[in-house]
Amino acid sequence: MNLPNLLTSLRFVLIPVYIGIFATGRMIPAFFIVVAAGVTDVLDGYMARKLGQTTPVGAMLDPLADKLMIISVIVSLLAAGHISWWAAGALFLRDAAMIVGGLLTHFGGKKNVPANWIGKLTTVLMYAAIMFIFFEAPFARTYLWAVIAFSFVTSLVYLTAYQTLNKTKTPPTNV
């Protein structure tokens, strides 16, 4: 196992740690676990590219670890009454679709769309929304809805890129 994949694995370990700390009502330490997960996300991607250690397993596990951490945060914030059912549902729907789509792509032998700037921006904006919610900023819920809308636009960008990347030329038919 290379170092980038080890960092991705650490994100999976941080999920139950986050849940345990959040469940005790310690919001600030829980938030810093989320930040630690975000830092490992940035580091593993950077190191994989810089060290030439990108792997198919890492390409599948990295976004999965990301989505599972975000889903854990969403569920915990929903359970604590910090976000609405509608916001949680929209985020869950989008992230679940991304996970299922990624798995179908991987196991279906299709080409995976690599992370791009709009996906990375969406992740940064989501982490900012989480921070605003944790620190109870008055505009946090409005900002969260803006990020949710942006995340659906990002999904459409990825879907278009996926279709272009996996486009197969069909032979012309003689009618």
Side-chain angles (χ1 to χ4, degrees):
M1 177 178 288
N2 63 28
L3 185 56
N5 288 349
L6 185 63
L7 288 170
T8 297
S9 298
L10 176 60
R11 274 207 316 286
F12 284 105
V13 171
L14 288 175
I15 293 168
V17 172
Y18 162 78
I19 292 169
I21 291 172
F22 186 90
T24 64
R26 298 180 311 190
M27 295 286 286
I28 303 307
F31 171 73
F32 283 112
I33 296 297
V34 175
V35 170
V39 169
T40 65
D41 185 28
V42 171
L43 285 176
D44 72 11
Y46 174 78
M47 292 175 82
R49 287 184 298 280
K50 188 77 170 170
L51 302 173
Q53 295 182 344
T54 58
T55 65
V57 169
M60 182 181 71
L61 292 180
D62 178 65
L64 180 62
D66 232 10
K67 299 297 174 217
L68 290 176
M69 175 55 91
I70 294 296
I71 288 171
S72 298
V73 171
I74 292 164
V75 169
S76 65
L77 291 173
L78 173 65
H82 294 291
I83 63 173
S84 71
W85 279 99
W86 287 106
L91 288 165
F92 181 75
L93 176 68
R94 187 238 180 207
D95 284 350
M98 296 288 283
I99 290 170
V100 169
L103 291 172
L104 290 174
T105 298
H106 178 77
F107 292 113
K110 300 287 186 177
K111 295 176 187 169
N112 228 342
V113 177
N116 60 32
W117 70 270
I118 196 167
K120 292 176 184 187
L121 176 60
T122 302
T123 301
V124 169
L125 295 174
M126 182 58 68
Y127 275 99
I130 290 167
M131 178 185 69
F132 295 145
I133 292 166
F134 270 84
F135 288 96
E136 300 178 2
F139 57 86
R141 287 186 175 97
T142 302
Y143 180 83
L144 175 62
W145 277 108
V147 173
I148 290 169
F150 188 73
S151 75
F152 277 91
V153 171
T154 301
S155 295
L156 291 175
V157 169
Y158 272 99
L159 183 58
T160 302
Y162 170 82
Q163 289 173 330
T164 301
L165 187 63
N166 289 287
K167 190 178 209 177
T168 57
K169 296 193 183 244
T170 56
T173 58
N174 293 330
V175 181

